Each structure stands twice: as C-alpha cells, then as structure tokens.
Amino acid sequence: MWRPGLFGFGLWVRRVMSWCVLEPRPPGKRWLVAGLGNPGMPGTRHSVGMAVLGQLARRLGVAESWARDRRCAADFALASLGDAQVVLLRPRRLMNANGRSVALAAELFGLTAEEVYLVHDELDKPLGKLVLKLGGSARGHNGVRSCISCLNSSAMPRLRVGIGRPPHPDAVQAHVLGCFSPAEQELLPPLLERATDLLLDHIRERSQGRPMLDP
C-alpha cells in the first residue's frame, strides 16, 4: 500500500545521496551503522555508541555532512569505503525507541538486519573492552531490545563498548546516565579509535564477501 509520508521521505533520501559523496553510488555493498544513545546527552556512558559514530564519521570524512529528517527522527551521513557505501545513523529518539529510527532507515535503504550494525554501551564489560557480536539477545539493553522488536530480527551485528558495572545495583541507572569521570575521559580517545578500526575492518571484510565470525 502506498504511503505518502514514506514515499516523500524516500525522495528526500535520494536527494541527500546526491548531495553527499556518493554520486553516483559505488557498485558495492551497502551497510548501516547506528550509534545508539540518548539525544542531547553527549558525554554520558549510555551514549558512548554515538561517540563512536562521531569518530567513525570523522575517519570517513563526513563529520560535517549530517542531514536531519524529522519524520525519521534521525540524522544521516553517507560515506564510501572502497566499493561499499556506509550509512551512518544517529537517532533523535530516546534510547528505548531508537529501534523505530533504525528500522525505518533500514527499510528506506533496502537493508536487511544482517546489514545493520548497532554500536552501544555494555554494562558487563569494563571500560576499554570492545566486543563485536554477531546477533543474539538484547542482554538487558533497552536500545538493542527496541531494535530487535522494530526490525523483527536479532541478527544485527553489535559493537558492544564496555562502560563497567557499578558495585551496587541501586547505582546502575545513575552510572549509565552519568558522564564519564575525568580519569575515564582520558581513556576515551584511544577507545574510540580502536572501536572505529574494529568496525571498519569488519565492514571491509564483509564487503569483500568473506564470512565473519565473532572475534
């Protein structure tokens, strides 16, 4: 069934693609990388996925190329990686509803769940630990749970960025929503670099048709 709003947004996406670096589109694979987090809360542990996405945008040379669409409630930046196209997605919905933006973007760009990368914080890993997981459960993460529900799949690759778990359960919410301490902030630049390297290496390998297992 034709939906005017979605059709109009599809036209917008095509315009953005012509404005950005991919005109014409390279003849390779297309991937979407979504940095999960809460809009307007930079520097918090829960939004570290968005910090990784920002570093990825800088590495790919599209940090100044974000385009916003209110209907999708997200910002896009488009980049090339060899013959592949990479769509960077920064949801503007709260973490618990990030999946709505991710699922709509996947539909518009013609992507399957396996072609959508989620980057998010991980309580059960210490700060500085990175794990790239291929599919699986949400493990209690509400943003991932929202993506699984909206995409109707759990097959998305996830880059889990450790933020550490506080010793007392009552402190979890404040820890997650709080900002990194000064000592932790010193660890962030190399962490964001390593996270970006891991994502780019993984996308390159898959773009070349090599099957990838969990690292």
Side-chain angles (χ1 to χ4, degrees), residues 2-19 69 71 108:
W2 179 65
R3 291 176 286 180
L6 187 58
F7 177 76
F9 183 56
L11 292 177
W12 174 87
V13 169
R14 286 194 287 275
R15 291 192 191 102
V16 170
M17 292 172 71
S18 68
W19 298 336
D69 187 89
R71 288 162 291 185
L108 291 171

mmCIF file with all atom_site columns, all heavy atoms in Angstrom, residues 2-19 69 71 108:
data_model
loop_
_atom_site.group_PDB
_atom_site.id
_atom_site.type_symbol
_atom_site.label_atom_id
_atom_site.label_alt_id
_atom_site.label_comp_id
_atom_site.label_asym_id
_atom_site.label_entity_id
_atom_site.label_seq_id
_atom_site.pdbx_PDB_ins_code
_atom_site.Cartn_x
_atom_site.Cartn_y
_atom_site.Cartn_z
_atom_site.occupancy
_atom_site.B_iso_or_equiv
_atom_site.pdbx_formal_charge
_atom_site.auth_seq_id
_atom_site.auth_comp_id
_atom_site.auth_asym_id
_atom_site.auth_atom_id
_atom_site.pdbx_PDB_model_num
ATOM 1   N N   . TRP A 1 2   ? 0.531  2.221  -0.846 1.00 0.00 ? 2   TRP A N   1
ATOM 2   C CA  . TRP A 1 2   ? 1.331  3.431  -0.956 1.00 0.00 ? 2   TRP A CA  1
ATOM 3   C C   . TRP A 1 2   ? 1.134  4.295  0.267  1.00 0.00 ? 2   TRP A C   1
ATOM 4   O O   . TRP A 1 2   ? 0.015  4.535  0.712  1.00 0.00 ? 2   TRP A O   1
ATOM 5   C CB  . TRP A 1 2   ? 0.917  4.184  -2.212 1.00 0.00 ? 2   TRP A CB  1
ATOM 6   C CG  . TRP A 1 2   ? 1.664  5.463  -2.408 1.00 0.00 ? 2   TRP A CG  1
ATOM 7   C CD1 . TRP A 1 2   ? 2.990  5.591  -2.642 1.00 0.00 ? 2   TRP A CD1 1
ATOM 8   C CD2 . TRP A 1 2   ? 1.119  6.789  -2.384 1.00 0.00 ? 2   TRP A CD2 1
ATOM 9   N NE1 . TRP A 1 2   ? 3.322  6.912  -2.767 1.00 0.00 ? 2   TRP A NE1 1
ATOM 10  C CE2 . TRP A 1 2   ? 2.194  7.669  -2.621 1.00 0.00 ? 2   TRP A CE2 1
ATOM 11  C CE3 . TRP A 1 2   ? -0.155 7.306  -2.200 1.00 0.00 ? 2   TRP A CE3 1
ATOM 12  C CZ2 . TRP A 1 2   ? 2.019  9.039  -2.672 1.00 0.00 ? 2   TRP A CZ2 1
ATOM 13  C CZ3 . TRP A 1 2   ? -0.321 8.667  -2.255 1.00 0.00 ? 2   TRP A CZ3 1
ATOM 14  C CH2 . TRP A 1 2   ? 0.746  9.515  -2.482 1.00 0.00 ? 2   TRP A CH2 1
ATOM 15  N N   . ARG A 1 3   ? 2.251  4.767  0.840  1.00 0.00 ? 3   ARG A N   1
ATOM 16  C CA  . ARG A 1 3   ? 2.184  5.644  1.999  1.00 0.00 ? 3   ARG A CA  1
ATOM 17  C C   . ARG A 1 3   ? 2.865  6.953  1.642  1.00 0.00 ? 3   ARG A C   1
ATOM 18  O O   . ARG A 1 3   ? 4.095  6.998  1.460  1.00 0.00 ? 3   ARG A O   1
ATOM 19  C CB  . ARG A 1 3   ? 2.861  4.997  3.204  1.00 0.00 ? 3   ARG A CB  1
ATOM 20  C CG  . ARG A 1 3   ? 2.082  3.805  3.736  1.00 0.00 ? 3   ARG A CG  1
ATOM 21  C CD  . ARG A 1 3   ? 2.839  3.148  4.860  1.00 0.00 ? 3   ARG A CD  1
ATOM 22  N NE  . ARG A 1 3   ? 3.976  2.404  4.326  1.00 0.00 ? 3   ARG A NE  1
ATOM 23  C CZ  . ARG A 1 3   ? 4.828  1.725  5.091  1.00 0.00 ? 3   ARG A CZ  1
ATOM 24  N NH1 . ARG A 1 3   ? 4.693  1.740  6.396  1.00 0.00 ? 3   ARG A NH1 1
ATOM 25  N NH2 . ARG A 1 3   ? 5.819  1.062  4.549  1.00 0.00 ? 3   ARG A NH2 1
ATOM 26  N N   . PRO A 1 4   ? 2.115  8.069  1.512  1.00 0.00 ? 4   PRO A N   1
ATOM 27  C CA  . PRO A 1 4   ? 2.705  9.334  1.051  1.00 0.00 ? 4   PRO A CA  1
ATOM 28  C C   . PRO A 1 4   ? 3.889  9.777  1.885  1.00 0.00 ? 4   PRO A C   1
ATOM 29  O O   . PRO A 1 4   ? 4.881  10.251 1.364  1.00 0.00 ? 4   PRO A O   1
ATOM 30  C CB  . PRO A 1 4   ? 1.526  10.322 1.164  1.00 0.00 ? 4   PRO A CB  1
ATOM 31  C CG  . PRO A 1 4   ? 0.299  9.467  1.108  1.00 0.00 ? 4   PRO A CG  1
ATOM 32  C CD  . PRO A 1 4   ? 0.678  8.174  1.777  1.00 0.00 ? 4   PRO A CD  1
ATOM 33  N N   . GLY A 1 5   ? 3.787  9.657  3.207  1.00 0.00 ? 5   GLY A N   1
ATOM 34  C CA  . GLY A 1 5   ? 4.875  10.129 4.061  1.00 0.00 ? 5   GLY A CA  1
ATOM 35  C C   . GLY A 1 5   ? 6.168  9.384  3.796  1.00 0.00 ? 5   GLY A C   1
ATOM 36  O O   . GLY A 1 5   ? 7.227  9.982  3.642  1.00 0.00 ? 5   GLY A O   1
ATOM 37  N N   . LEU A 1 6   ? 6.098  8.070  3.710  1.00 0.00 ? 6   LEU A N   1
ATOM 38  C CA  . LEU A 1 6   ? 7.281  7.265  3.467  1.00 0.00 ? 6   LEU A CA  1
ATOM 39  C C   . LEU A 1 6   ? 7.831  7.525  2.077  1.00 0.00 ? 6   LEU A C   1
ATOM 40  O O   . LEU A 1 6   ? 9.038  7.599  1.863  1.00 0.00 ? 6   LEU A O   1
ATOM 41  C CB  . LEU A 1 6   ? 6.947  5.786  3.645  1.00 0.00 ? 6   LEU A CB  1
ATOM 42  C CG  . LEU A 1 6   ? 8.126  4.816  3.582  1.00 0.00 ? 6   LEU A CG  1
ATOM 43  C CD1 . LEU A 1 6   ? 9.150  5.184  4.644  1.00 0.00 ? 6   LEU A CD1 1
ATOM 44  C CD2 . LEU A 1 6   ? 7.640  3.391  3.768  1.00 0.00 ? 6   LEU A CD2 1
ATOM 45  N N   . PHE A 1 7   ? 6.900  7.700  1.103  1.00 0.00 ? 7   PHE A N   1
ATOM 46  C CA  . PHE A 1 7   ? 7.347  7.990  -0.255 1.00 0.00 ? 7   PHE A CA  1
ATOM 47  C C   . PHE A 1 7   ? 8.107  9.308  -0.295 1.00 0.00 ? 7   PHE A C   1
ATOM 48  O O   . PHE A 1 7   ? 9.167  9.424  -0.903 1.00 0.00 ? 7   PHE A O   1
ATOM 49  C CB  . PHE A 1 7   ? 6.137  8.045  -1.189 1.00 0.00 ? 7   PHE A CB  1
ATOM 50  C CG  . PHE A 1 7   ? 6.487  8.414  -2.614 1.00 0.00 ? 7   PHE A CG  1
ATOM 51  C CD1 . PHE A 1 7   ? 7.063  7.481  -3.456 1.00 0.00 ? 7   PHE A CD1 1
ATOM 52  C CD2 . PHE A 1 7   ? 6.242  9.689  -3.093 1.00 0.00 ? 7   PHE A CD2 1
ATOM 53  C CE1 . PHE A 1 7   ? 7.397  7.804  -4.755 1.00 0.00 ? 7   PHE A CE1 1
ATOM 54  C CE2 . PHE A 1 7   ? 6.574  10.027 -4.396 1.00 0.00 ? 7   PHE A CE2 1
ATOM 55  C CZ  . PHE A 1 7   ? 7.135  9.091  -5.223 1.00 0.00 ? 7   PHE A CZ  1
ATOM 56  N N   . GLY A 1 8   ? 7.561  10.319 0.407  1.00 0.00 ? 8   GLY A N   1
ATOM 57  C CA  . GLY A 1 8   ? 8.230  11.607 0.445  1.00 0.00 ? 8   GLY A CA  1
ATOM 58  C C   . GLY A 1 8   ? 9.590  11.532 1.083  1.00 0.00 ? 8   GLY A C   1
ATOM 59  O O   . GLY A 1 8   ? 10.540 12.168 0.635  1.00 0.00 ? 8   GLY A O   1
ATOM 60  N N   . PHE A 1 9   ? 9.702  10.733 2.144  1.00 0.00 ? 9   PHE A N   1
ATOM 61  C CA  . PHE A 1 9   ? 10.991 10.596 2.806  1.00 0.00 ? 9   PHE A CA  1
ATOM 62  C C   . PHE A 1 9   ? 11.981 9.866  1.918  1.00 0.00 ? 9   PHE A C   1
ATOM 63  O O   . PHE A 1 9   ? 13.162 10.177 1.895  1.00 0.00 ? 9   PHE A O   1
ATOM 64  C CB  . PHE A 1 9   ? 10.814 9.869  4.125  1.00 0.00 ? 9   PHE A CB  1
ATOM 65  C CG  . PHE A 1 9   ? 12.086 9.743  4.909  1.00 0.00 ? 9   PHE A CG  1
ATOM 66  C CD1 . PHE A 1 9   ? 12.817 10.856 5.243  1.00 0.00 ? 9   PHE A CD1 1
ATOM 67  C CD2 . PHE A 1 9   ? 12.558 8.500  5.299  1.00 0.00 ? 9   PHE A CD2 1
ATOM 68  C CE1 . PHE A 1 9   ? 13.992 10.758 5.958  1.00 0.00 ? 9   PHE A CE1 1
ATOM 69  C CE2 . PHE A 1 9   ? 13.722 8.385  6.014  1.00 0.00 ? 9   PHE A CE2 1
ATOM 70  C CZ  . PHE A 1 9   ? 14.443 9.515  6.339  1.00 0.00 ? 9   PHE A CZ  1
ATOM 71  N N   . GLY A 1 10  ? 11.466 8.904  1.128  1.00 0.00 ? 10  GLY A N   1
ATOM 72  C CA  . GLY A 1 10  ? 12.340 8.213  0.195  1.00 0.00 ? 10  GLY A CA  1
ATOM 73  C C   . GLY A 1 10  ? 12.932 9.171  -0.828 1.00 0.00 ? 10  GLY A C   1
ATOM 74  O O   . GLY A 1 10  ? 14.099 9.075  -1.197 1.00 0.00 ? 10  GLY A O   1
ATOM 75  N N   . LEU A 1 11  ? 12.114 10.145 -1.292 1.00 0.00 ? 11  LEU A N   1
ATOM 76  C CA  . LEU A 1 11  ? 12.632 11.158 -2.200 1.00 0.00 ? 11  LEU A CA  1
ATOM 77  C C   . LEU A 1 11  ? 13.713 11.988 -1.534 1.00 0.00 ? 11  LEU A C   1
ATOM 78  O O   . LEU A 1 11  ? 14.728 12.332 -2.150 1.00 0.00 ? 11  LEU A O   1
ATOM 79  C CB  . LEU A 1 11  ? 11.487 12.074 -2.663 1.00 0.00 ? 11  LEU A CB  1
ATOM 80  C CG  . LEU A 1 11  ? 10.434 11.438 -3.570 1.00 0.00 ? 11  LEU A CG  1
ATOM 81  C CD1 . LEU A 1 11  ? 9.337  12.453 -3.866 1.00 0.00 ? 11  LEU A CD1 1
ATOM 82  C CD2 . LEU A 1 11  ? 11.055 10.939 -4.863 1.00 0.00 ? 11  LEU A CD2 1
ATOM 83  N N   . TRP A 1 12  ? 13.490 12.312 -0.240 1.00 0.00 ? 12  TRP A N   1
ATOM 84  C CA  . TRP A 1 12  ? 14.500 13.083 0.496  1.00 0.00 ? 12  TRP A CA  1
ATOM 85  C C   . TRP A 1 12  ? 15.806 12.328 0.583  1.00 0.00 ? 12  TRP A C   1
ATOM 86  O O   . TRP A 1 12  ? 16.881 12.901 0.404  1.00 0.00 ? 12  TRP A O   1
ATOM 87  C CB  . TRP A 1 12  ? 13.978 13.394 1.890  1.00 0.00 ? 12  TRP A CB  1
ATOM 88  C CG  . TRP A 1 12  ? 14.996 14.058 2.760  1.00 0.00 ? 12  TRP A CG  1
ATOM 89  C CD1 . TRP A 1 12  ? 15.268 15.381 2.865  1.00 0.00 ? 12  TRP A CD1 1
ATOM 90  C CD2 . TRP A 1 12  ? 15.921 13.403 3.642  1.00 0.00 ? 12  TRP A CD2 1
ATOM 91  N NE1 . TRP A 1 12  ? 16.284 15.602 3.748  1.00 0.00 ? 12  TRP A NE1 1
ATOM 92  C CE2 . TRP A 1 12  ? 16.707 14.415 4.245  1.00 0.00 ? 12  TRP A CE2 1
ATOM 93  C CE3 . TRP A 1 12  ? 16.157 12.075 3.990  1.00 0.00 ? 12  TRP A CE3 1
ATOM 94  C CZ2 . TRP A 1 12  ? 17.692 14.128 5.161  1.00 0.00 ? 12  TRP A CZ2 1
ATOM 95  C CZ3 . TRP A 1 12  ? 17.141 11.783 4.908  1.00 0.00 ? 12  TRP A CZ3 1
ATOM 96  C CH2 . TRP A 1 12  ? 17.896 12.802 5.478  1.00 0.00 ? 12  TRP A CH2 1
ATOM 97  N N   . VAL A 1 13  ? 15.736 11.020 0.864  1.00 0.00 ? 13  VAL A N   1
ATOM 98  C CA  . VAL A 1 13  ? 16.949 10.222 0.962  1.00 0.00 ? 13  VAL A CA  1
ATOM 99  C C   . VAL A 1 13  ? 17.721 10.255 -0.354 1.00 0.00 ? 13  VAL A C   1
ATOM 100 O O   . VAL A 1 13  ? 18.938 10.397 -0.369 1.00 0.00 ? 13  VAL A O   1
ATOM 101 C CB  . VAL A 1 13  ? 16.613 8.768  1.361  1.00 0.00 ? 13  VAL A CB  1
ATOM 102 C CG1 . VAL A 1 13  ? 17.837 7.877  1.206  1.00 0.00 ? 13  VAL A CG1 1
ATOM 103 C CG2 . VAL A 1 13  ? 16.107 8.714  2.799  1.00 0.00 ? 13  VAL A CG2 1
ATOM 104 N N   . ARG A 1 14  ? 16.998 10.144 -1.456 1.00 0.00 ? 14  ARG A N   1
ATOM 105 C CA  . ARG A 1 14  ? 17.686 10.174 -2.749 1.00 0.00 ? 14  ARG A CA  1
ATOM 106 C C   . ARG A 1 14  ? 18.357 11.531 -2.976 1.00 0.00 ? 14  ARG A C   1
ATOM 107 O O   . ARG A 1 14  ? 19.441 11.614 -3.546 1.00 0.00 ? 14  ARG A O   1
ATOM 108 C CB  . ARG A 1 14  ? 16.693 9.846  -3.865 1.00 0.00 ? 14  ARG A CB  1
ATOM 109 C CG  . ARG A 1 14  ? 16.313 8.372  -3.900 1.00 0.00 ? 14  ARG A CG  1
ATOM 110 C CD  . ARG A 1 14  ? 15.610 8.021  -5.193 1.00 0.00 ? 14  ARG A CD  1
ATOM 111 N NE  . ARG A 1 14  ? 14.251 8.548  -5.232 1.00 0.00 ? 14  ARG A NE  1
ATOM 112 C CZ  . ARG A 1 14  ? 13.194 7.927  -4.716 1.00 0.00 ? 14  ARG A CZ  1
ATOM 113 N NH1 . ARG A 1 14  ? 13.353 6.767  -4.104 1.00 0.00 ? 14  ARG A NH1 1
ATOM 114 N NH2 . ARG A 1 14  ? 11.998 8.454  -4.808 1.00 0.00 ? 14  ARG A NH2 1
ATOM 115 N N   . ARG A 1 15  ? 17.694 12.622 -2.542 1.00 0.00 ? 15  ARG A N   1
ATOM 116 C CA  . ARG A 1 15  ? 18.322 13.937 -2.673 1.00 0.00 ? 15  ARG A CA  1
ATOM 117 C C   . ARG A 1 15  ? 19.597 14.019 -1.839 1.00 0.00 ? 15  ARG A C   1
ATOM 118 O O   . ARG A 1 15  ? 20.621 14.529 -2.289 1.00 0.00 ? 15  ARG A O   1
ATOM 119 C CB  . ARG A 1 15  ? 17.344 15.023 -2.228 1.00 0.00 ? 15  ARG A CB  1
ATOM 120 C CG  . ARG A 1 15  ? 16.156 15.212 -3.137 1.00 0.00 ? 15  ARG A CG  1
ATOM 121 C CD  . ARG A 1 15  ? 15.412 16.494 -2.789 1.00 0.00 ? 15  ARG A CD  1
ATOM 122 N NE  . ARG A 1 15  ? 14.133 16.544 -3.493 1.00 0.00 ? 15  ARG A NE  1
ATOM 123 C CZ  . ARG A 1 15  ? 12.972 16.267 -2.912 1.00 0.00 ? 15  ARG A CZ  1
ATOM 124 N NH1 . ARG A 1 15  ? 12.928 15.928 -1.645 1.00 0.00 ? 15  ARG A NH1 1
ATOM 125 N NH2 . ARG A 1 15  ? 11.856 16.334 -3.607 1.00 0.00 ? 15  ARG A NH2 1
ATOM 126 N N   . VAL A 1 16  ? 19.518 13.518 -0.589 1.00 0.00 ? 16  VAL A N   1
ATOM 127 C CA  . VAL A 1 16  ? 20.692 13.547 0.281  1.00 0.00 ? 16  VAL A CA  1
ATOM 128 C C   . VAL A 1 16  ? 21.831 12.757 -0.342 1.00 0.00 ? 16  VAL A C   1
ATOM 129 O O   . VAL A 1 16  ? 22.980 13.174 -0.323 1.00 0.00 ? 16  VAL A O   1
ATOM 130 C CB  . VAL A 1 16  ? 20.346 12.982 1.677  1.00 0.00 ? 16  VAL A CB  1
ATOM 131 C CG1 . VAL A 1 16  ? 21.612 12.794 2.499  1.00 0.00 ? 16  VAL A CG1 1
ATOM 132 C CG2 . VAL A 1 16  ? 19.394 13.930 2.407  1.00 0.00 ? 16  VAL A CG2 1
ATOM 133 N N   . MET A 1 17  ? 21.504 11.610 -0.918 1.00 0.00 ? 17  MET A N   1
ATOM 134 C CA  . MET A 1 17  ? 22.541 10.782 -1.535 1.00 0.00 ? 17  MET A CA  1
ATOM 135 C C   . MET A 1 17  ? 23.208 11.527 -2.690 1.00 0.00 ? 17  MET A C   1
ATOM 136 O O   . MET A 1 17  ? 24.394 11.359 -2.957 1.00 0.00 ? 17  MET A O   1
ATOM 137 C CB  . MET A 1 17  ? 21.948 9.458  -2.005 1.00 0.00 ? 17  MET A CB  1
ATOM 138 C CG  . MET A 1 17  ? 21.514 8.565  -0.852 1.00 0.00 ? 17  MET A CG  1
ATOM 139 S SD  . MET A 1 17  ? 20.600 7.112  -1.384 1.00 0.00 ? 17  MET A SD  1
ATOM 140 C CE  . MET A 1 17  ? 21.897 6.178  -2.153 1.00 0.00 ? 17  MET A CE  1
ATOM 141 N N   . SER A 1 18  ? 22.446 12.392 -3.393 1.00 0.00 ? 18  SER A N   1
ATOM 142 C CA  . SER A 1 18  ? 23.050 13.158 -4.487 1.00 0.00 ? 18  SER A CA  1
ATOM 143 C C   . SER A 1 18  ? 23.874 14.315 -3.952 1.00 0.00 ? 18  SER A C   1
ATOM 144 O O   . SER A 1 18  ? 24.832 14.743 -4.584 1.00 0.00 ? 18  SER A O   1
ATOM 145 C CB  . SER A 1 18  ? 21.958 13.671 -5.424 1.00 0.00 ? 18  SER A CB  1
ATOM 146 O OG  . SER A 1 18  ? 21.163 14.647 -4.781 1.00 0.00 ? 18  SER A OG  1
ATOM 147 N N   . TRP A 1 19  ? 23.495 14.857 -2.771 1.00 0.00 ? 19  TRP A N   1
ATOM 148 C CA  . TRP A 1 19  ? 24.273 15.942 -2.190 1.00 0.00 ? 19  TRP A CA  1
ATOM 149 C C   . TRP A 1 19  ? 25.608 15.463 -1.641 1.00 0.00 ? 19  TRP A C   1
ATOM 150 O O   . TRP A 1 19  ? 26.581 16.198 -1.625 1.00 0.00 ? 19  TRP A O   1
ATOM 151 C CB  . TRP A 1 19  ? 23.494 16.590 -1.046 1.00 0.00 ? 19  TRP A CB  1
ATOM 152 C CG  . TRP A 1 19  ? 22.212 17.217 -1.457 1.00 0.00 ? 19  TRP A CG  1
ATOM 153 C CD1 . TRP A 1 19  ? 21.857 17.678 -2.694 1.00 0.00 ? 19  TRP A CD1 1
ATOM 154 C CD2 . TRP A 1 19  ? 21.064 17.440 -0.613 1.00 0.00 ? 19  TRP A CD2 1
ATOM 155 N NE1 . TRP A 1 19  ? 20.578 18.165 -2.674 1.00 0.00 ? 19  TRP A NE1 1
ATOM 156 C CE2 . TRP A 1 19  ? 20.066 18.045 -1.420 1.00 0.00 ? 19  TRP A CE2 1
ATOM 157 C CE3 . TRP A 1 19  ? 20.804 17.204 0.733  1.00 0.00 ? 19  TRP A CE3 1
ATOM 158 C CZ2 . TRP A 1 19  ? 18.832 18.401 -0.910 1.00 0.00 ? 19  TRP A CZ2 1
ATOM 159 C CZ3 . TRP A 1 19  ? 19.576 17.569 1.239  1.00 0.00 ? 19  TRP A CZ3 1
ATOM 160 C CH2 . TRP A 1 19  ? 18.598 18.159 0.416  1.00 0.00 ? 19  TRP A CH2 1
ATOM 161 N N   . ASP A 1 69  ? 16.243 14.539 9.326  1.00 0.00 ? 69  ASP A N   1
ATOM 162 C CA  . ASP A 1 69  ? 14.871 14.403 8.869  1.00 0.00 ? 69  ASP A CA  1
ATOM 163 C C   . ASP A 1 69  ? 13.971 14.161 10.076 1.00 0.00 ? 69  ASP A C   1
ATOM 164 O O   . ASP A 1 69  ? 14.172 13.205 10.834 1.00 0.00 ? 69  ASP A O   1
ATOM 165 C CB  . ASP A 1 69  ? 14.719 13.255 7.870  1.00 0.00 ? 69  ASP A CB  1
ATOM 166 C CG  . ASP A 1 69  ? 13.325 13.243 7.277  1.00 0.00 ? 69  ASP A CG  1
ATOM 167 O OD1 . ASP A 1 69  ? 13.111 13.916 6.247  1.00 0.00 ? 69  ASP A OD1 1
ATOM 168 O OD2 . ASP A 1 69  ? 12.443 12.582 7.853  1.00 0.00 ? 69  ASP A OD2 1
ATOM 169 N N   . ARG A 1 71  ? 10.806 13.291 10.173 1.00 0.00 ? 71  ARG A N   1
ATOM 170 C CA  . ARG A 1 71  ? 9.892  12.150 10.075 1.00 0.00 ? 71  ARG A CA  1
ATOM 171 C C   . ARG A 1 71  ? 10.545 10.857 10.528 1.00 0.00 ? 71  ARG A C   1
ATOM 172 O O   . ARG A 1 71  ? 9.900  9.995  11.100 1.00 0.00 ? 71  ARG A O   1
ATOM 173 C CB  . ARG A 1 71  ? 9.368  12.033 8.640  1.00 0.00 ? 71  ARG A CB  1
ATOM 174 C CG  . ARG A 1 71  ? 8.381  13.129 8.265  1.00 0.00 ? 71  ARG A CG  1
ATOM 175 C CD  . ARG A 1 71  ? 8.221  13.244 6.762  1.00 0.00 ? 71  ARG A CD  1
ATOM 176 N NE  . ARG A 1 71  ? 9.440  13.769 6.141  1.00 0.00 ? 71  ARG A NE  1
ATOM 177 C CZ  . ARG A 1 71  ? 9.527  14.044 4.851  1.00 0.00 ? 71  ARG A CZ  1
ATOM 178 N NH1 . ARG A 1 71  ? 8.508  13.840 4.053  1.00 0.00 ? 71  ARG A NH1 1
ATOM 179 N NH2 . ARG A 1 71  ? 10.656 14.532 4.354  1.00 0.00 ? 71  ARG A NH2 1
ATOM 180 N N   . LEU A 1 108 ? 14.216 2.064  4.176  1.00 0.00 ? 108 LEU A N   1
ATOM 181 C CA  . LEU A 1 108 ? 14.416 3.042  3.120  1.00 0.00 ? 108 LEU A CA  1
ATOM 182 C C   . LEU A 1 108 ? 15.655 2.765  2.279  1.00 0.00 ? 108 LEU A C   1
ATOM 183 O O   . LEU A 1 108 ? 15.666 2.998  1.072  1.00 0.00 ? 108 LEU A O   1
ATOM 184 C CB  . LEU A 1 108 ? 14.503 4.442  3.733  1.00 0.00 ? 108 LEU A CB  1
ATOM 185 C CG  . LEU A 1 108 ? 13.196 4.976  4.331  1.00 0.00 ? 108 LEU A CG  1
ATOM 186 C CD1 . LEU A 1 108 ? 13.456 6.259  5.095  1.00 0.00 ? 108 LEU A CD1 1
ATOM 187 C CD2 . LEU A 1 108 ? 12.161 5.207  3.250  1.00 0.00 ? 108 LEU A CD2 1
#
